[in-house]
Amino acid sequence: DTAVSQTPKYLVTQMGNDKSIKCEQNLGHDTMYWYKQDSKKFLKIMFSYNNKELIINETVPNRFSPKSPDKAHLNLHINSLELGDSAVYFCASSQDFRAGVTDTQYFGPGTRLTVL
Amino acid sequence: QKEVEQNSGPLSVPEGAIASLNCTYSDRGSQSFFWYRQYSGKSPELIMFIYSNGDKEDGRFTAQLNKASQYVSLLIRDSQPSDSATYLCAVNIGYNTDKLIFGTGTRLQVFP
């Protein structure tokens, strides 16, 4: 059984479009994250939510809007897509960010977004 | 100065050898340290984490942490070709946060 799943796996779209990526975890975790991995493989956190509450909001364009309908789901909506948004987007989850040093993050399979 | 630094490699080792992967970090307040393995086209997979100075062993893997030197390493004993991947070092930079700062990764190649 998949622990952290994302849909779609691949997303190819034109500049200016709006798209969403969905993430679900069945681990019973309270905290979920979105990361972006660029073409140089650098992995950077974008957002985190704990039990539907926004915790981390890094400096990303406000065209990116996360939404957590419940603690098992975290979606990412991107408006007015630009060429520079092309990357792999990973969802992750952890037990609870307040658990301290032992809290570990588990990653989903990723969504490869290509903006043409 | 980059917050988490790793040599990009590739680090090439023969099968059966010990692979040593290194990582330095800049924030002295960093609390915990993680090693992830990422195969090409796949997601990062947690290998192990460490938060106390010294060594921590898990099977063929040993993580070493030296907070005074701001240095964390991963040793892979009896390296196998299947260990060939990019190894990402990640640092949790503070209390009551799960903000992980990742290094750019070291590519390991284990040749038969």
Side-chain angles (χ1 to χ4, degrees):
Chain A
D1 287 340
T2 304
V4 183
S5 59
Q6 295 178 229
T7 54
K9 189 171 174 61
Y10 299 96
L11 189 51
V12 181
T13 189
Q14 299 286 333
M15 268 196 312
N17 284 349
D18 303 338
K19 291 292 179 186
S20 292
I21 307 171
K22 296 182 185 296
C23 178
E24 176 181 1
Q25 54 92 5
N26 62 7
L27 296 167
H29 288 170
D30 281 355
T31 308
M32 297 183 72
Y33 312 79
W34 278 114
Y35 284 85
K36 177 181 180 181
Q37 188 169 46
D38 61 23
S39 57
K40 295 183 178 178
K41 308 299 183 189
F42 182 58
L43 193 60
K44 185 170 167 57
I45 190 164
M46 301 173 70
F47 304 101
S48 77
Y49 270 76
N50 189 74
N51 201 5
K52 302 191 294 178
E53 180 187 353
L54 180 65
I55 302 298
I56 295 174
N57 186 353
E58 287 293 286
T59 308
V60 301
N62 57 15
R63 298 182 294 104
F64 290 79
S65 51
K67 198 161 285 188
S68 181
D70 56 61
K71 72 175 191 176
H73 295 84
L74 180 61
N75 304 324
L76 183 65
H77 187 76
I78 316 171
N79 289 325
S80 304
L81 278 155
E82 301 178 357
L83 292 176
D85 297 332
S86 295
V88 181
Y89 292 85
F90 287 103
C91 176
S93 74
S94 70
Q95 186 68 50
D96 189 329
F97 79 101
R98 295 163 299 185
V101 295
T102 58
D103 197 43
T104 51
Q105 297 181 25
Y106 298 91
F107 285 77
T111 296
R112 181 174 295 277
L113 171 65
T114 302
V115 182
L116 303 174
Chain B
Q1 181 188 4
K2 287 184 183 176
E3 295 181 81
V4 179
E5 293 205 51
Q6 296 181 256
N7 188 319
S8 61
L11 172 66
S12 293
V13 300
E15 185 174 357
I18 296 175
S20 178
L21 304 159
N22 304 316
C23 173
T24 58
Y25 60 94
S26 60
D27 191 330
R28 284 197 172 272
S30 300
Q31 298 297 308
S32 49
F33 308 85
F34 301 81
W35 283 100
Y36 285 84
R37 176 175 63 198
Q38 187 173 25
Y39 293 111
S40 181
K42 300 295 186 182
S43 60
E45 172 193 7
L46 180 69
I47 297 175
M48 61 191 306
F49 67 91
I50 187 168
Y51 53 87
S52 298
N53 275 329
D55 294 0
K56 179 181 178 183
E57 188 175 314
D58 185 358
R60 295 187 297 114
F61 299 97
T62 299
Q64 299 175 316
L65 175 61
N66 184 325
K67 288 188 178 180
S69 300
Q70 295 175 243
Y71 176 92
V72 58
S73 65
L74 180 71
L75 301 178
I76 307 175
R77 287 182 299 282
D78 188 25
S79 295
Q80 301 297 309
S82 58
D83 294 326
S84 298
T86 296
Y87 288 79
L88 302 172
C89 172
V91 175
N92 184 329
I93 63 169
Y95 289 104
N96 208 31
T97 176
D98 261 1
K99 182 174 177 180
L100 288 186
I101 305 298
F102 280 82
T104 51
T106 298
R107 190 158 62 95
L108 173 67
Q109 294 177 336
V110 181
F111 55 92

